[in-house]
Amino acid sequence: MARLSGRDVSEVARFPDIRNDPFVREFDMGLVCPLSRSVRLNGFATCLRLERVYWDILADMARLNDCSVSALLSYVDREVHLRHGGVKNFSGLVRVVCVVHSLSEGGHHPR
């Protein structure tokens, strides 16, 4: 657990009132727990470590596409190579794909 020094406390005191609390009622801290899962990406076995919330979103995306999470991730892996020549941080890409999906489902459009 992080401890606040006297300076940190004074900095926190300067924050404006937060009107929309990011810790929504019934916030599930379990969603923060990282989980490592073995997946096959286009035939190659690998391990992917993501927080549970992202695995939940991926499961929903796979359900919407009537495929497995591995098939969905294989598609993302293949498309990022075809469209952009690859990516250095595949886990980061997957997190962003999940956030963009969630925003589009809620009617929000990222820049």
Side-chain angles (χ1 to χ4, degrees):
M1 175 181 238
R3 294 179 186 227
L4 297 175
S5 68
R7 180 172 169 252
D8 294 333
V9 170
S10 66
E11 287 177 11
V12 169
R14 285 187 269 154
F15 284 140
D17 290 333
I18 302 298
R19 293 186 185 100
N20 294 306
D21 188 352
F23 284 97
V24 294
R25 187 181 317 212
E26 309 301 324
F27 185 82
D28 180 0
M29 284 299 291
L31 294 172
V32 178
C33 295
L35 299 171
S36 295
R37 293 194 180 163
S38 295
V39 294
R40 283 189 134 349
L41 297 179
N42 298 306
F44 293 96
T46 190
C47 186
L48 191 60
R49 185 174 173 91
L50 299 168
E51 292 76 11
R52 194 182 91 203
V53 67
Y54 296 111
W55 289 114
D56 291 351
I57 294 168
L58 288 169
D60 184 54
M61 292 172 67
R63 182 188 55 76
L64 291 172
N65 287 287
D66 197 29
C67 67
S68 68
V69 170
S70 285
L72 178 72
L73 290 171
S74 289
Y75 174 82
V76 170
D77 181 55
R78 183 180 64 242
E79 290 302 309
V80 77
H81 279 87
L82 292 173
R83 296 178 191 196
H84 304 285
V87 65
K88 291 183 180 181
N89 181 354
F90 186 70
S91 295
L93 171 66
V94 171
R95 287 181 181 95
V96 171
V97 164
C98 289
V99 169
V100 170
H101 168 78
S102 295
L103 289 173
S104 68
E105 288 290 304
H108 297 86
H109 300 285
R111 295 195 262 173

